[in-house]
Coordinates of all heavy atoms in Angstrom, one line a residue:
K458 N 7.1 14.0 10.3 CA 6.0 14.7 10.8 C 6.4 16.0 11.6 O 7.3 15.9 12.4 CB 5.3 13.8 11.8 CG 3.8 14.0 11.9 CD 3.1 12.9 12.6 CE 1.6 13.0 12.3 NZ 0.9 11.9 12.8
S459 N 5.8 17.2 11.2 CA 6.3 18.4 11.7 C 5.8 18.6 13.1 O 4.9 17.9 13.5 CB 5.9 19.6 10.9 OG 4.5 19.8 11.1
P460 N 6.3 19.5 13.9 CA 5.9 19.7 15.3 C 4.4 20.0 15.4 O 3.8 19.6 16.3 CB 6.7 20.9 15.8 CG 7.9 20.9 14.9 CD 7.5 20.4 13.7
N461 N 3.8 20.5 14.3 CA 2.4 20.8 14.4 C 1.6 19.7 13.7 O 0.4 19.8 13.4 CB 1.9 22.1 13.9 CG 2.4 22.3 12.4 OD1 2.9 21.3 11.8 ND2 2.3 23.5 11.9
G462 N 2.2 18.5 13.6 CA 1.5 17.3 13.1 C 1.3 17.1 11.6 O 0.5 16.2 11.2
H463 N 2.0 17.9 10.8 CA 1.7 17.8 9.3 C 2.8 17.0 8.8 O 4.0 17.1 9.2 CB 1.6 19.1 8.6 CG 0.5 19.9 9.1 ND1 0.5 21.3 9.2 CD2 -0.8 19.5 9.4 CE1 -0.7 21.7 9.5 NE2 -1.5 20.7 9.7
E464 N 2.5 16.1 7.7 CA 3.6 15.4 7.1 C 4.3 16.2 6.0 O 3.6 17.0 5.3 CB 3.0 14.2 6.3 CG 2.6 13.0 7.2 CD 1.2 13.1 7.8 OE1 0.5 14.0 7.4 OE2 0.9 12.2 8.6
H465 N 5.5 16.3 6.1 CA 6.4 17.0 5.1 C 7.4 16.0 4.4 O 7.7 15.1 4.9 CB 7.3 18.0 5.9 CG 6.5 19.2 6.3 ND1 7.0 20.4 5.9 CD2 5.5 19.4 7.1 CE1 6.2 21.4 6.5 NE2 5.2 20.7 7.2
I466 N 7.6 16.4 3.1 CA 8.6 15.7 2.4 C 10.0 16.3 2.4 O 10.1 17.5 2.3 CB 8.1 15.5 1.0 CG1 6.9 14.6 0.9 CG2 9.2 14.9 0.0 CD1 6.5 14.2 -0.5
F467 N 10.9 15.6 2.7 CA 12.3 16.1 2.7 C 13.1 15.3 1.6 O 13.1 14.1 1.5 CB 13.1 15.8 4.0 CG 12.7 16.7 5.1 CD1 11.5 16.5 5.8 CD2 13.5 17.8 5.6 CE1 11.1 17.4 6.8 CE2 13.1 18.6 6.5 CZ 11.9 18.5 7.2
I468 N 13.6 16.1 0.7 CA 14.5 15.4 -0.4 C 15.8 15.3 0.3 O 16.6 16.3 0.6 CB 14.6 16.4 -1.6 CG1 13.1 16.7 -2.2 CG2 15.4 15.7 -2.7 CD1 12.3 15.5 -2.6
T469 N 16.3 14.0 0.4 CA 17.6 13.8 1.2 C 18.8 13.5 0.3 O 19.9 13.7 0.8 CB 17.3 12.6 2.1 OG1 16.7 11.6 1.3 CG2 16.4 12.9 3.3
D470 N 18.5 13.2 -0.9 CA 19.7 12.8 -1.8 C 19.2 12.7 -3.3 O 18.1 12.6 -3.5 CB 20.4 11.6 -1.4 CG 21.9 11.5 -1.8 OD1 22.3 12.4 -2.6 OD2 22.6 10.6 -1.3
R471 N 20.2 12.7 -4.2 CA 19.8 12.4 -5.6 C 20.4 11.1 -5.9 O 21.6 10.9 -6.0 CB 20.2 13.5 -6.5 CG 19.5 13.5 -7.8 CD 19.8 14.7 -8.8 NE 19.5 15.9 -8.2 CZ 20.3 17.0 -8.2 NH1 21.5 16.8 -8.6 NH2 19.9 18.1 -7.6
I472 N 19.6 10.1 -6.3 CA 20.1 8.8 -6.7 C 20.5 8.8 -8.2 O 21.5 8.2 -8.6 CB 19.0 7.7 -6.6 CG1 18.4 7.8 -5.1 CG2 19.5 6.3 -6.8 CD1 17.1 7.1 -4.9
K473 N 19.8 9.6 -8.9 CA 20.0 9.6 -10.4 C 21.3 10.4 -10.7 O 21.8 11.1 -9.9 CB 18.8 10.1 -11.2 CG 18.5 11.6 -10.8 CD 17.2 12.0 -11.3 CE 16.6 13.3 -10.8 NZ 15.2 13.5 -11.2
E474 N 21.8 10.3 -12.0 CA 23.1 10.8 -12.2 C 23.0 12.3 -12.5 O 24.1 13.0 -12.5 CB 23.7 10.1 -13.4 CG 22.9 10.1 -14.7 CD 23.4 9.2 -15.8 OE1 23.7 8.0 -15.5 OE2 23.5 9.6 -16.9
L475 N 21.9 12.9 -12.7 CA 21.7 14.3 -12.9 C 22.5 15.2 -12.1 O 22.5 15.0 -10.9 CB 20.2 14.7 -12.9 CG 19.8 16.1 -13.0 CD1 20.0 16.6 -14.5 CD2 18.3 16.3 -12.7
I476 N 23.0 16.3 -12.7 CA 23.7 17.4 -11.9 C 22.9 18.7 -12.1 O 22.4 18.9 -13.2 CB 25.2 17.7 -12.5 CG1 26.0 16.3 -12.5 CG2 25.9 18.7 -11.6 CD1 27.3 16.4 -13.2
K477 N 22.7 19.3 -10.9 CA 21.9 20.6 -11.0 C 22.9 21.8 -10.8 O 23.3 22.0 -9.6 CB 20.8 20.6 -10.0 CG 19.5 20.0 -10.4 CD 18.9 20.8 -11.6 CE 17.6 20.4 -12.1 NZ 16.5 21.0 -11.4
V478 N 23.2 22.6 -11.8 CA 24.0 23.8 -11.6 C 23.2 25.0 -11.7 O 22.6 25.4 -12.6 CB 25.1 23.9 -12.7 CG1 26.0 25.1 -12.5 CG2 25.8 22.5 -12.8
K479 N 23.1 25.8 -10.5 CA 22.1 26.9 -10.4 C 20.7 26.5 -10.8 O 20.1 27.4 -11.5 CB 22.6 28.0 -11.3 CG 24.0 28.7 -10.9 CD 24.2 29.8 -11.7 CE 25.5 30.5 -11.5 NZ 25.9 31.4 -12.5
G480 N 20.3 25.4 -10.6 CA 19.0 24.9 -11.0 C 18.8 24.4 -12.3 O 17.8 23.8 -12.8
N481 N 20.0 24.6 -13.2 CA 19.9 24.1 -14.5 C 20.4 22.6 -14.6 O 21.3 22.2 -13.8 CB 20.9 24.9 -15.5 CG 20.6 26.3 -15.5 OD1 19.5 26.6 -16.0 ND2 21.5 27.1 -15.0
Q482 N 19.7 21.9 -15.5 CA 20.2 20.4 -15.6 C 21.4 20.3 -16.4 O 21.6 20.8 -17.5 CB 19.0 19.7 -16.4 CG 17.8 19.5 -15.7 CD 17.0 18.2 -16.2 OE1 17.5 17.4 -17.0 NE2 15.9 18.0 -15.7
V483 N 22.3 19.5 -15.9 CA 23.6 19.0 -16.7 C 23.5 17.6 -16.6 O 23.5 16.9 -15.6 CB 24.8 19.6 -16.0 CG1 26.0 19.1 -16.9 CG2 24.8 21.1 -16.1
A484 N 23.5 17.0 -17.9 CA 23.5 15.5 -17.9 C 24.9 14.9 -18.0 O 25.6 15.3 -19.1 CB 22.8 15.1 -19.2
P485 N 25.4 14.2 -17.0 CA 26.7 13.6 -17.1 C 27.0 12.9 -18.4 O 28.1 13.1 -19.0 CB 26.8 12.7 -15.9 CG 25.9 13.3 -14.9 CD 24.8 13.8 -15.8
A486 N 26.0 12.2 -18.9 CA 26.2 11.4 -20.1 C 26.5 12.3 -21.3 O 27.4 11.9 -22.2 CB 24.9 10.6 -20.5
E487 N 25.9 13.5 -21.3 CA 26.3 14.4 -22.4 C 27.8 14.9 -22.3 O 28.5 14.9 -23.3 CB 25.4 15.6 -22.3 CG 25.6 16.6 -23.4 CD 24.8 17.9 -23.2 OE1 23.7 17.9 -22.5 OE2 25.2 19.0 -23.6
L488 N 28.2 15.2 -21.1 CA 29.6 15.7 -21.0 C 30.6 14.5 -21.2 O 31.6 14.7 -21.8 CB 29.8 16.3 -19.6 CG 29.2 17.7 -19.3 CD1 29.5 18.2 -18.0 CD2 29.7 18.6 -20.4
E489 N 30.2 13.3 -20.7 CA 31.1 12.2 -20.9 C 31.3 11.8 -22.4 O 32.4 11.7 -22.9 CB 30.5 10.9 -20.2 CG 30.7 11.1 -18.7 CD 29.7 10.2 -17.9 OE1 29.1 9.4 -18.5 OE2 29.7 10.3 -16.6
A490 N 30.2 11.9 -23.2 CA 30.2 11.7 -24.7 C 31.1 12.7 -25.3 O 31.9 12.4 -26.2 CB 28.8 11.6 -25.2
H491 N 30.9 14.0 -24.8 CA 31.7 15.0 -25.4 C 33.3 14.8 -25.1 O 34.1 15.0 -25.9 CB 31.3 16.3 -24.9 CG 32.1 17.5 -25.6 ND1 32.1 17.8 -26.8 CD2 32.9 18.4 -24.9 CE1 32.9 18.8 -27.1 NE2 33.3 19.2 -25.9
L492 N 33.5 14.5 -23.8 CA 35.0 14.4 -23.4 C 35.6 13.3 -24.2 O 36.8 13.4 -24.5 CB 35.0 14.0 -21.9 CG 34.7 15.3 -20.9 CD1 34.5 14.8 -19.5 CD2 35.9 16.3 -21.0
L493 N 34.9 12.2 -24.5 CA 35.5 11.1 -25.2 C 35.9 11.5 -26.6 O 36.7 10.8 -27.3 CB 34.5 9.9 -25.3 CG 34.3 9.1 -23.9 CD1 33.2 8.1 -24.0 CD2 35.7 8.4 -23.6
T494 N 35.5 12.6 -27.1 CA 35.9 13.1 -28.4 C 37.3 13.8 -28.4 O 37.8 14.1 -29.4 CB 34.8 14.0 -29.1 OG1 34.8 15.3 -28.3 CG2 33.4 13.4 -29.2
H495 N 37.8 14.0 -27.2 CA 39.1 14.7 -27.1 C 40.2 13.5 -27.2 O 40.0 12.5 -26.5 CB 39.2 15.4 -25.7 CG 40.4 16.2 -25.6 ND1 41.6 15.7 -25.4 CD2 40.6 17.5 -25.9 CE1 42.5 16.7 -25.4 NE2 41.9 17.9 -25.6
P496 N 41.2 13.7 -28.0 CA 42.2 12.6 -28.2 C 42.8 12.1 -27.0 O 43.3 11.0 -26.9 CB 43.1 13.3 -29.2 CG 42.8 14.7 -29.3 CD 41.4 14.9 -28.8
A497 N 43.0 13.0 -25.9 CA 43.7 12.6 -24.7 C 42.8 11.9 -23.8 O 43.3 11.4 -22.7 CB 44.3 13.9 -24.0
V498 N 41.5 11.7 -24.0 CA 40.6 11.0 -23.1 C 40.3 9.6 -23.6 O 39.7 9.4 -24.6 CB 39.3 11.8 -23.0 CG1 38.4 11.2 -22.0 CG2 39.6 13.2 -22.4
N499 N 40.8 8.6 -22.7 CA 40.4 7.2 -23.1 C 39.0 6.8 -22.5 O 38.4 5.9 -23.1 CB 41.6 6.4 -22.5 CG 42.0 5.3 -23.5 OD1 41.5 5.3 -24.6 ND2 42.8 4.3 -23.1
D500 N 38.8 7.3 -21.3 CA 37.6 6.9 -20.7 C 37.3 7.9 -19.6 O 38.2 8.7 -19.2 CB 37.7 5.5 -20.0 CG 36.3 4.9 -19.8 OD1 35.3 5.5 -20.1 OD2 36.3 3.7 -19.3
C501 N 36.1 8.1 -19.2 CA 35.8 9.2 -18.2 C 34.5 9.0 -17.6 O 33.6 8.2 -18.0 CB 35.8 10.6 -18.8 SG 34.5 10.7 -20.0
V502 N 34.4 9.7 -16.5 CA 33.0 9.8 -15.8 C 32.9 11.2 -15.2 O 33.9 11.7 -14.7 CB 32.9 8.6 -14.6 CG1 34.0 8.7 -13.7 CG2 31.6 8.7 -13.9
V503 N 31.6 11.6 -15.2 CA 31.4 13.0 -14.7 C 30.4 12.9 -13.5 O 29.4 12.2 -13.7 CB 30.9 14.0 -15.8 CG1 30.4 15.3 -15.3 CG2 31.9 14.1 -16.9
I504 N 30.7 13.6 -12.4 CA 29.7 13.7 -11.4 C 29.5 15.1 -10.9 O 30.2 15.9 -11.3 CB 30.1 12.7 -10.1 CG1 31.4 13.2 -9.5 CG2 30.1 11.3 -10.5 CD1 31.7 12.8 -8.1
G505 N 28.5 15.3 -10.0 CA 28.3 16.6 -9.5 C 29.0 16.7 -8.1 O 28.9 15.7 -7.3
V506 N 29.7 17.9 -7.8 CA 30.3 18.0 -6.6 C 29.8 19.4 -6.0 O 29.4 20.2 -6.7 CB 31.8 18.1 -6.6 CG1 32.4 16.7 -6.9 CG2 32.3 19.2 -7.5
P507 N 29.6 19.4 -4.6 CA 29.0 20.6 -4.1 C 29.7 21.8 -4.3 O 30.9 21.9 -4.4 CB 29.0 20.3 -2.5 CG 29.3 18.9 -2.4 CD 30.0 18.5 -3.7
S508 N 29.0 22.9 -4.5 CA 29.6 24.3 -4.7 C 28.7 25.3 -3.9 O 27.5 25.2 -3.9 CB 29.5 24.6 -6.2 OG 29.3 26.0 -6.4
D509 N 29.4 26.2 -3.2 CA 28.7 27.1 -2.3 C 27.7 27.9 -3.1 O 26.5 28.3 -2.7 CB 29.7 28.1 -1.6 CG 30.3 27.4 -0.5 OD1 29.9 26.2 -0.1 OD2 31.3 27.9 0.1
R510 N 28.1 28.5 -4.2 CA 27.3 29.5 -4.9 C 26.3 28.8 -5.9 O 25.2 29.3 -6.2 CB 28.2 30.5 -5.7 CG 28.9 31.4 -4.8 CD 29.1 32.8 -5.3 NE 29.5 33.6 -4.3 CZ 29.0 34.7 -4.0 NH1 27.9 35.2 -4.6 NH2 29.5 35.5 -2.9
E511 N 26.8 27.7 -6.6 CA 26.1 27.1 -7.7 C 25.3 25.9 -7.2 O 24.5 25.3 -8.1 CB 27.0 26.8 -8.8 CG 27.3 28.0 -9.7 CD 28.8 28.2 -10.0 OE1 29.6 27.8 -9.1 OE2 29.0 28.6 -11.0
G512 N 25.4 25.5 -6.0 CA 24.7 24.3 -5.5 C 25.5 23.0 -5.9 O 26.0 22.4 -4.9
E513 N 25.8 22.8 -7.1 CA 26.7 21.7 -7.6 C 27.3 22.1 -8.9 O 26.9 23.0 -9.6 CB 25.8 20.5 -8.1 CG 25.4 19.5 -6.9 CD 24.6 18.4 -7.6 OE1 23.5 18.6 -8.3 OE2 25.0 17.3 -7.5
V514 N 28.5 21.5 -9.1 CA 29.2 21.8 -10.4 C 29.7 20.4 -10.9 O 30.0 19.5 -10.2 CB 30.3 22.8 -10.2 CG1 29.8 24.2 -10.1 CG2 31.2 22.5 -9.0
P515 N 29.9 20.3 -12.2 CA 30.5 19.0 -12.8 C 32.0 18.9 -12.5 O 32.7 19.8 -12.7 CB 30.2 19.1 -14.2 CG 29.3 20.3 -14.5 CD 29.5 21.3 -13.3
K516 N 32.3 17.7 -12.2 CA 33.7 17.3 -12.0 C 34.0 16.1 -13.0 O 33.1 15.1 -12.9 CB 34.1 17.0 -10.6 CG 35.5 16.5 -10.4 CD 36.0 16.3 -9.0 CE 37.4 15.8 -8.9 NZ 37.9 15.7 -7.6
A517 N 35.1 16.0 -13.7 CA 35.4 14.9 -14.5 C 36.5 14.0 -13.9 O 37.6 14.7 -13.5 CB 35.7 15.4 -15.9
F518 N 36.4 12.8 -14.0 CA 37.4 11.8 -13.7 C 37.8 11.2 -15.1 O 37.0 10.6 -15.7 CB 36.9 10.7 -12.7 CG 36.6 11.3 -11.3 CD1 35.4 11.9 -11.1 CD2 37.4 11.3 -10.3 CE1 35.1 12.5 -9.9 CE2 37.2 11.8 -9.1 CZ 36.0 12.5 -8.8
V519 N 39.1 11.4 -15.4 CA 39.5 11.0 -16.7 C 40.7 10.0 -16.7 O 41.6 10.1 -16.0 CB 40.0 12.3 -17.5 CG1 40.7 12.0 -18.8 CG2 38.8 13.3 -17.7
V520 N 40.5 9.0 -17.6 CA 41.5 8.1 -17.9 C 42.3 8.5 -19.1 O 41.6 8.6 -20.2 CB 41.0 6.6 -18.1 CG1 42.2 5.6 -18.4 CG2 40.2 6.2 -16.9
K521 N 43.6 8.8 -19.0 CA 44.3 9.4 -20.1 C 44.5 8.4 -21.2 O 44.8 7.2 -20.9 CB 45.7 9.9 -19.7 CG 45.6 11.2 -18.9 CD 47.0 11.7 -18.5 CE 47.5 11.2 -17.2 NZ 48.7 11.7 -16.7
A522 N 44.6 8.9 -22.5 CA 44.8 8.0 -23.6 C 46.4 7.7 -23.6 O 47.1 8.6 -23.2 CB 44.4 8.7 -24.9
P523 N 46.9 6.5 -24.0 CA 48.3 6.2 -23.9 C 49.2 7.2 -24.4 O 50.2 7.7 -23.7 CB 48.4 4.9 -24.7 CG 47.0 4.4 -24.7 CD 46.1 5.5 -24.6
G524 N 49.0 7.8 -25.6 CA 49.9 8.8 -26.2 C 50.0 10.0 -25.4 O 51.0 10.7 -25.6
S525 N 49.0 10.4 -24.6 CA 49.0 11.7 -24.0 C 49.7 11.7 -22.7 O 49.8 12.8 -22.1 CB 47.6 12.1 -23.8 OG 46.9 11.1 -22.9
I526 N 50.2 10.6 -22.3 CA 50.8 10.4 -21.0 C 52.1 11.4 -20.9 O 52.5 11.8 -19.8 CB 51.2 9.1 -20.6 CG1 49.7 8.4 -20.4 CG2 52.0 8.8 -19.4 CD1 49.8 6.9 -20.1
E527 N 52.8 11.6 -22.0 CA 53.9 12.4 -22.1 C 53.7 13.9 -21.6 O 54.5 14.6 -21.1 CB 54.6 12.4 -23.5 CG 54.8 11.1 -24.1 CD 55.6 10.2 -23.2 OE1 56.6 10.6 -22.6 OE2 55.2 9.0 -23.1
E528 N 52.5 14.3 -22.0 CA 52.2 15.7 -21.7 C 52.1 16.1 -20.2 O 51.8 15.2 -19.4 CB 50.8 16.1 -22.3 CG 50.6 15.7 -23.7 CD 50.6 17.0 -24.6 OE1 51.0 18.0 -24.1 OE2 50.2 16.8 -25.8
S529 N 52.3 17.3 -19.8 CA 52.1 17.5 -18.3 C 50.7 17.5 -17.9 O 49.8 17.8 -18.8 CB 52.7 18.9 -18.0 OG 51.7 19.9 -18.1
D530 N 50.3 17.1 -16.7 CA 49.0 17.0 -16.3 C 48.2 18.3 -16.3 O 47.1 18.4 -16.8 CB 48.9 16.4 -14.9 CG 49.0 14.8 -14.9 OD1 49.2 14.3 -16.0 OD2 48.9 14.3 -13.8
A531 N 49.0 19.3 -16.0 CA 48.3 20.7 -15.9 C 47.8 21.2 -17.3 O 46.8 21.6 -17.5 CB 49.2 21.7 -15.3
L532 N 48.8 20.9 -18.3 CA 48.5 21.3 -19.6 C 47.3 20.5 -20.1 O 46.4 21.0 -20.8 CB 49.8 21.1 -20.5 CG 49.6 21.4 -22.0 CD1 49.4 22.9 -22.1 CD2 50.7 20.9 -22.8
L533 N 47.3 19.2 -19.9 CA 46.2 18.3 -20.3 C 44.9 18.7 -19.8 O 43.9 18.8 -20.5 CB 46.5 16.9 -19.9 CG 47.1 15.9 -21.0 CD1 47.3 14.6 -20.4 CD2 46.4 16.0 -22.3
K534 N 44.9 19.1 -18.5 CA 43.7 19.5 -17.8 C 43.1 20.8 -18.5 O 42.0 20.9 -18.7 CB 43.9 19.7 -16.3 CG 44.0 18.4 -15.5 CD 44.1 18.7 -14.0 CE 44.4 17.5 -13.3 NZ 44.6 17.6 -11.9
R535 N 44.0 21.7 -18.8 CA 43.7 22.9 -19.4 C 43.0 22.6 -20.8 O 42.0 23.2 -21.1 CB 44.8 23.9 -19.6 CG 44.9 24.8 -18.3 CD 45.6 26.1 -18.6 NE 47.0 25.9 -19.2 CZ 48.1 25.5 -18.5 NH1 48.0 25.5 -17.2 NH2 49.2 25.4 -19.1
Q536 N 43.6 21.8 -21.5 CA 43.2 21.4 -22.9 C 41.7 20.8 -22.8 O 40.8 21.1 -23.6 CB 44.1 20.5 -23.6 CG 45.3 21.1 -24.0 CD 46.3 20.0 -24.6 OE1 46.1 18.8 -24.5 NE2 47.4 20.5 -25.1
I537 N 41.6 19.9 -21.8 CA 40.3 19.1 -21.7 C 39.2 20.1 -21.3 O 38.1 20.1 -21.7 CB 40.4 17.9 -20.7 CG1 41.3 16.9 -21.3 CG2 39.1 17.3 -20.4 CD1 41.8 15.8 -20.4
A538 N 39.6 21.0 -20.3 CA 38.5 21.9 -19.8 C 38.1 22.8 -20.9 O 36.9 23.1 -21.1 CB 39.1 22.8 -18.6
K539 N 39.1 23.2 -21.7 CA 38.8 24.1 -22.9 C 37.9 23.4 -23.9 O 37.0 24.1 -24.5 CB 40.0 24.7 -23.5 CG 39.9 25.7 -24.6 CD 41.1 26.4 -25.0 CE 40.8 27.5 -25.9 NZ 40.1 27.2 -27.1
H540 N 38.1 22.1 -24.1 CA 37.3 21.4 -25.0 C 35.8 21.5 -24.7 O 35.0 21.5 -25.5 CB 37.8 19.9 -25.0 CG 37.2 19.0 -25.9 ND1 37.2 19.3 -27.3 CD2 36.4 17.8 -25.7 CE1 36.5 18.3 -27.9 NE2 36.0 17.4 -27.0
V541 N 35.5 21.5 -23.3 CA 34.2 21.6 -22.9 C 33.7 23.2 -23.0 O 32.6 23.3 -23.6 CB 34.1 21.2 -21.3 CG1 32.6 21.5 -20.9 CG2 34.4 19.7 -21.2
E542 N 34.6 24.0 -22.6 CA 34.2 25.5 -22.7 C 33.9 25.8 -24.1 O 33.0 26.6 -24.4 CB 35.3 26.4 -22.3 CG 35.5 26.5 -20.8 CD 36.9 26.8 -20.3 OE1 37.5 27.7 -21.0 OE2 37.3 26.4 -19.2
D543 N 34.6 25.2 -25.1 CA 34.4 25.6 -26.5 C 33.1 25.1 -27.1 O 32.6 25.6 -28.0 CB 35.6 25.1 -27.4 CG 36.9 25.8 -27.1 OD1 36.8 27.0 -26.5 OD2 38.0 25.5 -27.6

Side-chain angles (χ1 to χ4, degrees):
K458 214 165 190 172
S459 73
N461 57 9
H463 295 145
E464 283 88 3
H465 281 242
I466 293 193
F467 284 77
I468 305 300
T469 46
D470 205 350
R471 198 177 297 131
I472 307 161
K473 59 188 168 192
E474 55 190 51
L475 174 69
I476 304 169
K477 271 296 183 91
V478 183
K479 293 187 186 169
N481 298 299
Q482 287 207 6
V483 178
E487 179 188 335
L488 288 181
E489 286 158 8
H491 179 65
L492 286 170
L493 285 172
T494 63
H495 191 280
V498 178
N499 220 10
D500 203 356
C501 65
V502 54
V503 174
I504 62 164
V506 293
S508 145
D509 282 347
R510 290 215 170 230
E511 278 130 330
E513 274 184 302
V514 284
K516 173 172 180 178
F518 294 81
V519 169
V520 180
K521 285 185 271 186
S525 61
I526 292 177
E527 308 305 318
E528 308 252 15
S529 91
D530 276 3
L532 179 66
L533 264 184
K534 281 184 188 175
R535 270 204 303 279
Q536 287 172 354
I537 294 170
K539 187 163 183 310
H540 185 56
V541 174
E542 281 159 33
D543 287 348

